[in-house]
Amino acid sequence: MNSHDVQTGPAPFDPLTALREAGHPVDLLNERQRQVFAELSRPEVELLNSIKTRLDEAAGEVEGQELKLV
């Protein structure tokens, strides 16, 4: 390989993109809050995504029920 050849590897991890793709509303946060999320590690983002998935699954079960109060 010549010194002027460009090596392309995997793109660096972008926490905000990963969170957006999982459906987290990070764009509704203020700049300081987004900065906190932007500094998360891959394992932290994976944990948040896992929790969101579980909450979404539980919400689907609850939202599917009708409650009538007399």
Side-chain angles (χ1 to χ4, degrees):
M1 177 185 298
N2 297 329
S3 61
H4 64 279
D5 290 340
V6 177
Q7 285 187 334
T8 57
F13 179 65
D14 180 5
L16 291 178
T17 298
L19 291 167
R20 280 185 195 102
E21 289 173 352
H24 294 278
V26 293
D27 294 316
L28 299 178
L29 301 173
N30 68 40
E31 185 61 34
R32 289 178 62 188
Q33 291 169 322
R34 270 194 307 276
Q35 186 59 40
V36 171
F37 281 97
E39 296 172 359
L40 294 178
S41 67
R42 186 181 301 269
E44 289 170 322
V45 169
E46 289 170 354
L47 178 60
L48 285 175
N49 288 346
S50 172
I51 292 168
K52 183 182 184 314
T53 298
R54 292 166 53 193
L55 288 173
D56 288 349
E57 289 170 357
E61 295 169 9
V62 173
E63 292 172 359
Q65 298 176 5
E66 186 175 328
L67 177 63
K68 293 183 182 180
L69 299 175
V70 180

